[in-house]
Amino acid sequence: KDYEHMIEDVLPLARCFYTVTVSSDRALQGSKLADRIAGRGVEAVYLDDLDLAMKQAKERARMQHCPMVAFGSLYFIGGVLEKLKEDDKK
C-alpha cells in the first residue's frame, strides 16, 4: 500500500494523528507511521492499544470541537466500529 502518498493527502486535513498497529503480519507498524507523520511536522502519537488511542482521539476531538476520523484497512475499521458500538452501549 502506498501509505506515503496517503499521508500526503491527509496531512493538511488533520491536527493530530493517533496510530496503532493491527495484528496482521502485513500491517504497517504504528510507530513507523507516527514517525513518518511527525517527520512532516504534524503531531503524531503512537499507542499500542486501540481502546486507548480511540479514547484519547475522541477526547481531543471533543475538546477541540473537531471531528475524529479513522482510516485504515477494513480489518482495522471493523475494530474501530466495534469499539464505537461498545461505547454507545455505555
Side-chain angles (χ1 to χ4, degrees):
K1 297 180 183 174
D2 185 10
Y3 71 90
E4 294 283 349
H5 181 71
M6 289 184 245
I7 291 171
E8 293 301 322
D9 288 345
V10 298
L11 278 179
L13 306 174
R15 296 179 185 168
C16 178
F17 289 83
Y18 291 88
T19 66
V20 297
T21 303
V22 297
S23 58
S24 168
D25 294 336
R26 297 178 25 196
L28 172 64
Q29 295 298 306
S31 57
K32 181 178 179 181
L33 180 58
D35 289 345
R36 296 278 193 195
I37 293 167
R40 289 175 171 79
V42 176
E43 183 181 357
V45 178
Y46 167 69
L47 296 163
D48 61 4
D49 179 79
L50 178 58
D51 288 331
L52 182 58
M54 288 187 59
K55 181 179 179 180
Q56 288 188 15
K58 285 170 49 176
E59 179 63 18
R60 185 179 193 126
R62 187 184 66 75
M63 297 283 289
Q64 294 183 353
H65 305 285
C66 61
M68 180 184 83
V69 178
F71 56 93
S73 67
L74 291 176
Y75 174 80
F76 175 74
I77 296 301
V80 169
L81 290 173
E82 281 300 311
K83 300 294 180 193
L84 290 172
K85 287 177 187 176
E86 289 172 13
D87 288 350
D88 283 347
K89 291 179 182 178
K90 292 181 182 177

Coordinates of all heavy atoms in Angstrom, one line a residue:
K1 N 0.9 -1.2 0.0 CA 0.0 0.0 0.0 C 0.9 1.2 0.0 O 1.9 1.3 0.6 CB -0.9 0.0 1.2 CG -1.9 -1.2 1.2 CD -2.8 -1.2 2.4 CE -3.6 -2.4 2.3 NZ -4.4 -2.6 3.4
D2 N 0.4 2.2 -0.7 CA 1.2 3.5 -0.8 C 0.8 4.4 0.3 O 0.2 5.4 0.1 CB 0.9 4.1 -2.2 CG 1.8 5.3 -2.5 OD1 2.7 5.5 -1.7 OD2 1.5 6.0 -3.4
Y3 N 1.3 4.1 1.5 CA 0.9 4.9 2.7 C 1.6 6.3 2.6 O 1.1 7.2 3.1 CB 1.2 4.2 4.0 CG 2.7 4.0 4.3 CD1 3.3 5.0 5.1 CD2 3.4 2.9 3.9 CE1 4.7 4.8 5.4 CE2 4.7 2.7 4.3 CZ 5.3 3.7 5.0 OH 6.6 3.5 5.3
E4 N 2.8 6.4 2.0 CA 3.4 7.7 1.9 C 2.5 8.7 1.1 O 2.4 9.8 1.5 CB 4.8 7.5 1.2 CG 5.8 6.7 2.0 CD 6.4 7.5 3.1 OE1 6.2 8.7 3.2 OE2 7.1 6.9 3.9
H5 N 1.9 8.2 0.0 CA 1.1 9.1 -0.7 C -0.2 9.4 0.1 O -0.7 10.6 0.0 CB 0.7 8.4 -2.1 CG -0.2 9.2 -2.9 ND1 0.2 10.3 -3.6 CD2 -1.5 9.1 -3.2 CE1 -0.8 10.9 -4.3 NE2 -1.8 10.1 -4.1
M6 N -0.7 8.4 0.8 CA -1.9 8.7 1.6 C -1.7 9.7 2.7 O -2.5 10.5 2.9 CB -2.4 7.4 2.2 CG -3.1 6.4 1.2 SD -3.7 5.0 2.0 CE -2.6 3.7 1.3
I7 N -0.5 9.6 3.3 CA -0.1 10.6 4.3 C -0.1 12.0 3.7 O -0.7 12.9 4.3 CB 1.3 10.3 4.9 CG1 1.3 9.0 5.7 CG2 1.8 11.4 5.7 CD1 2.6 8.5 6.1
E8 N 0.4 12.2 2.6 CA 0.5 13.5 1.9 C -0.9 14.0 1.7 O -1.2 15.2 1.8 CB 1.3 13.4 0.6 CG 2.7 13.2 0.8 CD 3.5 14.2 1.7 OE1 3.1 15.4 1.6 OE2 4.3 13.8 2.5
D9 N -1.8 13.1 1.3 CA -3.2 13.6 1.1 C -3.9 14.0 2.3 O -4.7 15.0 2.2 CB -4.0 12.4 0.4 CG -3.6 12.2 -1.0 OD1 -2.9 13.1 -1.6 OD2 -4.0 11.1 -1.6
V10 N -3.7 13.4 3.4 CA -4.5 13.7 4.6 C -3.8 14.7 5.6 O -4.4 15.3 6.5 CB -4.9 12.5 5.4 CG1 -5.8 11.6 4.6 CG2 -3.7 11.7 5.9
L11 N -2.5 14.9 5.4 CA -1.8 15.8 6.4 C -2.4 17.2 6.5 O -2.6 17.7 7.6 CB -0.3 16.0 5.9 CG 0.6 14.9 6.4 CD1 2.0 15.2 5.9 CD2 0.7 14.7 7.9
P12 N -2.8 17.8 5.4 CA -3.4 19.2 5.5 C -4.7 19.2 6.2 O -5.2 20.3 6.6 CB -3.5 19.6 4.1 CG -2.8 18.7 3.2 CD -2.6 17.4 4.0
L13 N -5.3 18.0 6.4 CA -6.7 18.0 7.0 C -6.7 17.7 8.5 O -7.8 17.7 9.1 CB -7.5 16.9 6.2 CG -7.5 17.0 4.7 CD1 -8.2 15.8 4.1 CD2 -8.2 18.3 4.3
A14 N -5.6 17.4 9.1 CA -5.6 16.9 10.5 C -4.7 17.8 11.4 O -3.7 18.3 10.9 CB -5.1 15.4 10.5
R15 N -5.1 17.8 12.6 CA -4.3 18.5 13.6 C -3.3 17.5 14.3 O -2.3 17.8 14.8 CB -5.2 19.1 14.7 CG -6.0 20.2 14.1 CD -6.9 20.8 15.2 NE -7.8 21.7 14.6 CZ -8.9 22.2 15.3 NH1 -9.1 21.8 16.5 NH2 -9.7 23.1 14.7
C16 N -3.8 16.3 14.4 CA -3.1 15.2 15.2 C -3.5 13.9 14.7 O -4.6 13.7 14.3 CB -3.3 15.3 16.7 SG -2.5 14.1 17.6
F17 N -2.5 13.0 14.7 CA -2.8 11.6 14.3 C -2.5 10.7 15.5 O -1.6 10.9 16.2 CB -1.9 11.1 13.1 CG -2.3 11.7 11.8 CD1 -1.8 13.0 11.5 CD2 -3.0 11.1 10.9 CE1 -2.1 13.6 10.3 CE2 -3.3 11.6 9.7 CZ -2.9 12.9 9.4
Y18 N -3.4 9.7 15.7 CA -3.1 8.6 16.6 C -2.9 7.3 15.8 O -3.8 7.0 15.0 CB -4.3 8.4 17.6 CG -4.4 9.6 18.6 CD1 -5.1 10.7 18.2 CD2 -3.7 9.6 19.8 CE1 -5.2 11.8 19.1 CE2 -3.8 10.7 20.6 CZ -4.6 11.8 20.3 OH -4.6 12.9 21.1
T19 N -1.8 6.6 16.0 CA -1.6 5.4 15.2 C -1.5 4.2 16.1 O -1.1 4.3 17.3 CB -0.3 5.6 14.4 OG1 0.9 5.6 15.3 CG2 -0.3 6.8 13.5
V20 N -1.9 3.1 15.6 CA -1.8 1.8 16.3 C -1.3 0.8 15.2 O -1.3 1.0 14.0 CB -3.2 1.4 16.9 CG1 -3.7 2.3 17.9 CG2 -4.2 1.2 15.8
T21 N -1.0 -0.4 15.7 CA -0.6 -1.5 14.9 C -1.6 -2.6 15.0 O -1.9 -3.0 16.1 CB 0.8 -2.1 15.3 OG1 1.8 -1.0 15.2 CG2 1.2 -3.2 14.3
V22 N -2.2 -3.0 13.9 CA -3.2 -4.0 13.9 C -2.5 -5.4 13.9 O -1.3 -5.5 13.5 CB -4.2 -4.0 12.7 CG1 -5.0 -2.7 12.8 CG2 -3.5 -4.1 11.4
S23 N -3.1 -6.4 14.4 CA -2.5 -7.7 14.5 C -2.6 -8.4 13.2 O -3.5 -9.2 12.9 CB -3.1 -8.5 15.6 OG -4.5 -8.7 15.4
S24 N -1.6 -8.1 12.3 CA -1.5 -8.8 11.0 C -0.1 -8.7 10.6 O 0.6 -7.7 10.8 CB -2.4 -8.0 10.0 OG -2.0 -8.4 8.6
D25 N 0.4 -9.8 10.0 CA 1.8 -9.9 9.5 C 2.1 -8.8 8.5 O 3.2 -8.4 8.3 CB 2.1 -11.2 8.9 CG 2.0 -12.3 10.0 OD1 2.2 -12.0 11.2 OD2 1.8 -13.5 9.6
R26 N 1.1 -8.4 7.8 CA 1.2 -7.4 6.7 C 1.1 -5.9 7.2 O 1.2 -5.0 6.4 CB 0.2 -7.7 5.6 CG 0.4 -9.0 4.9 CD -0.6 -9.3 3.9 NE -1.2 -8.1 3.3 CZ -2.3 -8.1 2.6 NH1 -2.9 -9.2 2.4 NH2 -2.7 -6.9 2.1
A27 N 0.7 -5.7 8.4 CA 0.4 -4.4 8.9 C 1.7 -3.5 9.0 O 2.7 -3.9 9.4 CB -0.2 -4.5 10.3
L28 N 1.5 -2.3 8.6 CA 2.5 -1.2 8.9 C 2.5 -1.0 10.4 O 1.5 -0.8 11.0 CB 2.1 0.0 8.1 CG 2.9 1.3 8.4 CD1 4.3 1.1 7.9 CD2 2.2 2.5 7.7
Q29 N 3.7 -0.9 10.9 CA 3.9 -0.6 12.3 C 3.4 0.8 12.6 O 3.8 1.7 12.0 CB 5.3 -0.8 12.8 CG 5.8 -2.3 12.6 CD 5.0 -3.2 13.5 OE1 4.9 -3.0 14.7 NE2 4.5 -4.2 12.9
G30 N 2.6 0.9 13.6 CA 2.0 2.2 14.0 C 3.1 3.2 14.4 O 3.0 4.4 14.2
S31 N 4.2 2.7 15.1 CA 5.3 3.6 15.5 C 6.0 4.1 14.2 O 6.4 5.3 14.2 CB 6.2 2.8 16.4 OG 6.7 1.7 15.7
K32 N 6.1 3.3 13.2 CA 6.8 3.8 12.0 C 5.9 4.8 11.3 O 6.4 5.9 10.8 CB 7.0 2.6 11.0 CG 7.7 3.0 9.7 CD 8.0 1.8 8.9 CE 8.6 2.2 7.6 NZ 8.8 1.0 6.7
L33 N 4.6 4.6 11.3 CA 3.7 5.6 10.7 C 3.7 6.9 11.4 O 3.8 8.0 10.8 CB 2.3 5.0 10.6 CG 1.2 5.9 10.0 CD1 1.5 6.3 8.6 CD2 -0.1 5.2 10.1
A34 N 3.7 6.8 12.8 CA 3.8 8.0 13.6 C 5.1 8.8 13.3 O 5.0 10.0 13.2 CB 3.6 7.7 15.1
D35 N 6.2 8.1 13.2 CA 7.4 8.8 12.9 C 7.4 9.5 11.5 O 7.9 10.6 11.4 CB 8.6 7.8 12.9 CG 8.9 7.3 14.3 OD1 8.5 7.9 15.3 OD2 9.6 6.2 14.4
R36 N 6.8 8.8 10.5 CA 6.7 9.4 9.2 C 5.9 10.7 9.2 O 6.2 11.7 8.6 CB 6.1 8.4 8.2 CG 6.9 7.2 8.0 CD 8.0 7.5 7.0 NE 8.5 6.2 6.6 CZ 9.7 6.1 5.9 NH1 10.4 7.1 5.6 NH2 10.1 4.9 5.6
I37 N 4.8 10.6 9.9 CA 3.9 11.8 10.0 C 4.6 12.9 10.8 O 4.6 14.1 10.3 CB 2.6 11.4 10.7 CG1 1.8 10.4 9.8 CG2 1.7 12.6 11.0 CD1 0.6 9.8 10.4
A38 N 5.1 12.6 11.9 CA 5.8 13.6 12.7 C 7.0 14.3 12.0 O 7.3 15.5 12.1 CB 6.3 13.0 14.1
G39 N 7.6 13.5 11.1 CA 8.7 14.0 10.3 C 8.3 15.0 9.3 O 9.1 15.7 8.8
R40 N 7.0 15.1 9.1 CA 6.4 16.1 8.2 C 5.8 17.3 8.9 O 5.1 18.1 8.4 CB 5.4 15.4 7.3 CG 6.0 14.5 6.3 CD 5.0 13.8 5.4 NE 5.6 13.0 4.3 CZ 6.2 11.9 4.4 NH1 6.3 11.3 5.6 NH2 6.6 11.3 3.3
G41 N 6.1 17.3 10.2 CA 5.7 18.5 11.0 C 4.3 18.5 11.6 O 3.8 19.5 12.1
V42 N 3.6 17.3 11.6 CA 2.3 17.2 12.2 C 2.4 16.3 13.4 O 3.1 15.2 13.4 CB 1.3 16.6 11.2 CG1 -0.1 16.4 11.8 CG2 1.2 17.6 10.0
E43 N 1.7 16.6 14.5 CA 1.7 15.8 15.7 C 1.2 14.4 15.4 O 0.2 14.2 14.8 CB 0.9 16.4 16.8 CG 0.9 15.7 18.1 CD 0.1 16.3 19.2 OE1 -0.5 17.4 19.0 OE2 0.0 15.7 20.3
A44 N 1.9 13.4 15.9 CA 1.5 12.0 15.7 C 1.9 11.2 17.0 O 3.0 11.3 17.5 CB 2.2 11.4 14.5
V45 N 0.9 10.5 17.5 CA 1.1 9.7 18.7 C 0.8 8.3 18.4 O -0.2 7.9 17.9 CB 0.0 10.2 19.8 CG1 0.2 9.4 21.1 CG2 0.2 11.7 20.0
Y46 N 1.8 7.5 18.7 CA 1.7 6.0 18.6 C 1.2 5.4 19.9 O 1.8 5.7 21.0 CB 3.0 5.3 18.2 CG 2.9 3.8 18.3 CD1 2.1 3.1 17.5 CD2 3.6 3.2 19.3 CE1 2.0 1.7 17.7 CE2 3.6 1.8 19.5 CZ 2.8 1.1 18.7 OH 2.7 -0.3 18.8
L47 N 0.2 4.6 19.9 CA -0.3 3.9 21.1 C -0.4 2.5 20.7 O -0.9 2.1 19.6 CB -1.6 4.5 21.6 CG -1.5 6.0 22.1 CD1 -2.9 6.6 22.2 CD2 -0.8 6.0 23.4
D48 N -0.1 1.6 21.6 CA -0.1 0.1 21.3 C -1.5 -0.5 21.6 O -1.6 -1.7 21.5 CB 1.0 -0.6 21.9 CG 1.0 -0.6 23.4 OD1 0.1 0.0 24.0 OD2 1.9 -1.1 24.0
D49 N -2.5 0.3 22.0 CA -3.8 -0.2 22.4 C -4.9 0.7 21.6 O -4.9 1.9 21.8 CB -3.9 0.0 23.9 CG -5.2 -0.5 24.4 OD1 -5.4 -1.7 24.5 OD2 -6.1 0.3 24.6
L50 N -5.7 0.0 20.9 CA -6.7 0.7 20.1 C -7.7 1.4 21.0 O -8.1 2.5 20.8 CB -7.5 -0.3 19.2 CG -8.6 0.2 18.4 CD1 -8.2 1.4 17.5 CD2 -9.3 -0.9 17.6
D51 N -8.1 0.7 22.2 CA -9.0 1.4 23.1 C -8.5 2.7 23.6 O -9.2 3.7 23.6 CB -9.3 0.5 24.3 CG -10.1 -0.7 24.0 OD1 -11.0 -0.6 23.1 OD2 -10.0 -1.7 24.7
L52 N -7.2 2.7 24.0 CA -6.6 4.0 24.5 C -6.5 5.0 23.4 O -6.7 6.2 23.6 CB -5.2 3.6 25.1 CG -4.5 4.8 25.7 CD1 -5.3 5.5 26.8 CD2 -3.1 4.4 26.2
A53 N -6.1 4.6 22.2 CA -6.0 5.5 21.1 C -7.3 6.2 20.8 O -7.4 7.4 20.6 CB -5.5 4.8 19.8
M54 N -8.4 5.4 20.7 CA -9.7 5.9 20.5 C -10.2 6.8 21.6 O -10.7 7.9 21.3 CB -10.7 4.8 20.2 CG -10.5 4.1 18.9 SD -11.7 2.9 18.5 CE -13.2 3.9 18.5
K55 N -9.9 6.5 22.8 CA -10.3 7.3 24.0 C -9.6 8.7 23.9 O -10.3 9.7 24.0 CB -9.9 6.6 25.3 CG -10.3 7.4 26.5 CD -9.9 6.6 27.8 CE -10.3 7.4 29.0 NZ -10.0 6.7 30.2
Q56 N -8.3 8.6 23.6 CA -7.6 9.9 23.5 C -8.0 10.7 22.3 O -8.2 12.0 22.4 CB -6.1 9.7 23.5 CG -5.5 9.2 24.8 CD -4.0 9.2 24.8 OE1 -3.3 9.7 24.0 NE2 -3.5 8.5 25.8
A57 N -8.2 10.1 21.2 CA -8.7 10.8 20.0 C -10.1 11.4 20.2 O -10.3 12.5 19.8 CB -8.7 9.9 18.8
K58 N -11.0 10.6 20.8 CA -12.3 11.2 21.0 C -12.3 12.3 22.0 O -13.0 13.3 21.8 CB -13.2 10.0 21.5 CG -13.6 9.1 20.4 CD -14.3 7.8 21.0 CE -15.4 8.0 21.9 NZ -16.1 6.8 22.3
E59 N -11.5 12.2 23.0 CA -11.4 13.3 24.0 C -10.8 14.6 23.3 O -11.3 15.7 23.5 CB -10.5 12.9 25.1 CG -10.4 14.0 26.2 CD -11.7 14.4 26.9 OE1 -12.7 13.7 26.8 OE2 -11.7 15.5 27.5
R60 N -9.8 14.4 22.5 CA -9.2 15.6 21.8 C -10.3 16.2 20.8 O -10.4 17.4 20.8 CB -8.0 15.1 21.0 CG -7.3 16.3 20.4 CD -6.0 15.8 19.7 NE -5.2 16.9 19.3 CZ -3.9 17.1 19.7 NH1 -3.3 16.1 20.3 NH2 -3.3 18.1 19.3
A61 N -11.0 15.4 20.1 CA -12.0 15.9 19.2 C -13.1 16.6 19.9 O -13.5 17.7 19.5 CB -12.6 14.7 18.4
R62 N -13.5 16.1 21.1 CA -14.5 16.8 21.9 C -14.0 18.1 22.4 O -14.6 19.2 22.3 CB -14.9 15.9 23.1 CG -16.1 16.5 23.9 CD -16.4 15.6 25.1 NE -15.3 15.6 26.1 CZ -15.0 16.6 26.9 NH1 -15.7 17.7 26.9 NH2 -14.1 16.6 27.8
M63 N -12.7 18.2 22.9 CA -12.2 19.4 23.5 C -11.9 20.4 22.4 O -12.1 21.6 22.6 CB -10.8 19.1 24.2 CG -11.0 18.1 25.3 SD -11.6 18.9 26.8 CE -10.3 19.9 27.3
Q64 N -11.5 20.0 21.2 CA -11.2 21.0 20.1 C -12.4 21.2 19.2 O -12.2 21.9 18.2 CB -10.0 20.5 19.4 CG -8.7 20.5 20.2 CD -7.5 20.1 19.5 OE1 -7.5 19.7 18.3 NE2 -6.3 20.2 20.1
H65 N -13.5 20.6 19.5 CA -14.7 20.8 18.6 C -14.4 20.4 17.2 O -14.7 21.3 16.3 CB -15.3 22.2 18.8 CG -15.6 22.5 20.2 ND1 -16.7 22.0 20.9 CD2 -14.9 23.3 21.0 CE1 -16.6 22.5 22.1 NE2 -15.6 23.3 22.2
C66 N -13.8 19.3 16.9 CA -13.5 18.9 15.6 C -13.8 17.4 15.4 O -13.9 16.7 16.4 CB -12.0 19.1 15.2 SG -10.8 18.3 16.3
P67 N -14.0 16.9 14.2 CA -14.3 15.5 14.0 C -13.1 14.6 14.3 O -12.0 15.0 14.2 CB -14.7 15.4 12.5 CG -14.0 16.6 11.9 CD -13.9 17.7 12.9
M68 N -13.5 13.4 14.6 CA -12.5 12.3 14.7 C -12.7 11.4 13.5 O -13.8 11.0 13.2 CB -12.7 11.5 15.9 CG -11.7 10.4 16.1 SD -11.9 9.3 17.5 CE -13.2 8.2 16.9
V69 N -11.6 11.2 12.7 CA -11.7 10.4 11.5 C -10.8 9.2 11.7 O -9.6 9.3 12.1 CB -11.3 11.2 10.3 CG1 -11.4 10.4 9.0 CG2 -12.2 12.4 10.1
A70 N -11.3 8.0 11.3 CA -10.4 6.8 11.3 C -10.3 6.3 9.9 O -11.3 6.2 9.2 CB -11.1 5.7 12.2
F71 N -9.1 5.8 9.6 CA -8.9 5.2 8.3 C -7.8 4.1 8.4 O -7.0 4.2 9.3 CB -8.6 6.2 7.2 CG -7.4 7.1 7.4 CD1 -6.2 6.7 6.9 CD2 -7.6 8.3 8.1 CE1 -5.1 7.5 7.1 CE2 -6.5 9.1 8.3 CZ -5.2 8.7 7.8
G72 N -7.9 3.2 7.5 CA -7.0 2.0 7.5 C -7.7 0.9 6.8 O -8.6 1.1 6.0
S73 N -7.2 -0.3 7.0 CA -7.7 -1.5 6.4 C -9.2 -1.7 6.8 O -9.6 -1.2 7.9 CB -6.9 -2.7 6.7 OG -7.0 -3.0 8.1
L74 N -9.9 -2.6 6.1 CA -11.2 -3.0 6.5 C -11.2 -3.7 7.9 O -12.1 -3.5 8.7 CB -11.9 -3.9 5.5 CG -12.2 -3.2 4.1 CD1 -12.7 -4.2 3.1 CD2 -13.2 -2.0 4.3
Y75 N -10.1 -4.4 8.1 CA -10.0 -5.1 9.4 C -9.9 -4.1 10.5 O -10.6 -4.2 11.5 CB -8.7 -6.0 9.3 CG -8.4 -6.6 10.7 CD1 -9.0 -7.8 11.1 CD2 -7.4 -6.1 11.5 CE1 -8.7 -8.4 12.3 CE2 -7.1 -6.6 12.7 CZ -7.8 -7.8 13.1 OH -7.4 -8.4 14.3
F76 N -9.1 -3.1 10.3 CA -8.9 -2.0 11.3 C -10.2 -1.2 11.5 O -10.6 -1.0 12.7 CB -7.8 -1.1 10.9 CG -7.7 0.1 11.8 CD1 -7.1 0.0 13.1 CD2 -8.1 1.4 11.5 CE1 -7.0 1.1 14.0 CE2 -8.0 2.5 12.3 CZ -7.4 2.3 13.6
I77 N -10.9 -0.8 10.5 CA -12.1 -0.1 10.6 C -13.2 -0.9 11.3 O -14.0 -0.4 12.0 CB -12.6 0.4 9.2 CG1 -11.5 1.4 8.6 CG2 -14.0 1.1 9.3 CD1 -11.3 2.6 9.5
G78 N -13.2 -2.2 11.0 CA -14.1 -3.1 11.7 C -13.9 -3.0 13.2 O -14.9 -3.0 14.0
G79 N -12.7 -3.0 13.7 CA -12.3 -2.9 15.1 C -12.8 -1.6 15.7 O -13.3 -1.5 16.8
V80 N -12.6 -0.5 14.9 CA -13.0 0.8 15.3 C -14.5 0.9 15.5 O -15.0 1.4 16.5 CB -12.5 1.9 14.3 CG1 -13.2 3.2 14.6 CG2 -11.0 2.0 14.3
L81 N -15.2 0.3 14.5 CA -16.7 0.3 14.6 C -17.2 -0.5 15.8 O -18.1 0.0 16.5 CB -17.3 -0.2 13.3 CG -17.2 0.7 12.1 CD1 -17.6 -0.1 10.9 CD2 -17.9 2.0 12.3
E82 N -16.6 -1.6 16.1 CA -16.9 -2.4 17.3 C -16.7 -1.6 18.6 O -17.6 -1.6 19.5 CB -16.1 -3.7 17.4 CG -16.6 -4.7 16.5 CD -18.1 -5.1 16.8 OE1 -18.4 -5.4 18.0 OE2 -18.9 -5.2 15.8
K83 N -15.6 -0.8 18.7 CA -15.4 0.0 19.9 C -16.4 1.1 20.0 O -16.8 1.4 21.1 CB -13.9 0.6 19.8 CG -12.8 -0.4 19.7 CD -12.8 -1.3 21.0 CE -11.6 -2.3 20.9 NZ -11.7 -3.3 21.9
L84 N -16.7 1.7 18.9 CA -17.8 2.8 18.9 C -19.1 2.2 19.4 O -19.8 2.9 20.1 CB -17.9 3.4 17.5 CG -16.7 4.3 17.1 CD1 -16.8 4.7 15.7 CD2 -16.5 5.5 18.1
K85 N -19.5 1.0 18.9 CA -20.7 0.4 19.3 C -20.7 0.1 20.8 O -21.7 0.3 21.5 CB -21.0 -0.9 18.5 CG -21.4 -0.6 17.1 CD -21.5 -2.0 16.3 CE -21.8 -1.8 14.9 NZ -21.8 -3.0 14.1
E86 N -19.6 -0.4 21.3 CA -19.5 -0.7 22.7 C -19.6 0.6 23.5 O -20.3 0.6 24.6 CB -18.1 -1.3 23.0 CG -17.9 -2.7 22.5 CD -16.5 -3.2 22.7 OE1 -15.7 -2.6 23.4 OE2 -16.2 -4.2 22.1
D87 N -19.0 1.7 23.1 CA -19.1 3.0 23.8 C -20.5 3.5 23.8 O -21.0 4.1 24.8 CB -18.2 4.0 23.1 CG -16.7 3.8 23.4 OD1 -16.4 2.9 24.2 OD2 -15.9 4.5 22.8
D88 N -21.3 3.3 22.7 CA -22.7 3.7 22.6 C -23.5 3.0 23.6 O -24.5 3.5 24.1 CB -23.2 3.5 21.2 CG -22.7 4.6 20.2 OD1 -22.2 5.6 20.7 OD2 -22.9 4.4 19.0
K89 N -23.2 1.8 24.0 CA -24.0 1.0 24.9 C -23.7 1.4 26.4 O -24.5 1.1 27.2 CB -23.6 -0.5 24.8 CG -24.1 -1.1 23.5 CD -23.8 -2.5 23.3 CE -24.2 -3.1 22.0 NZ -23.8 -4.5 21.8
K90 N -22.7 2.1 26.6 CA -22.3 2.5 28.0 C -23.1 3.7 28.4 O -23.6 4.5 27.8 CB -20.8 2.9 28.1 CG -19.9 1.7 27.9 CD -18.5 2.1 28.0 CE -17.6 0.9 27.8 NZ -16.2 1.2 27.8

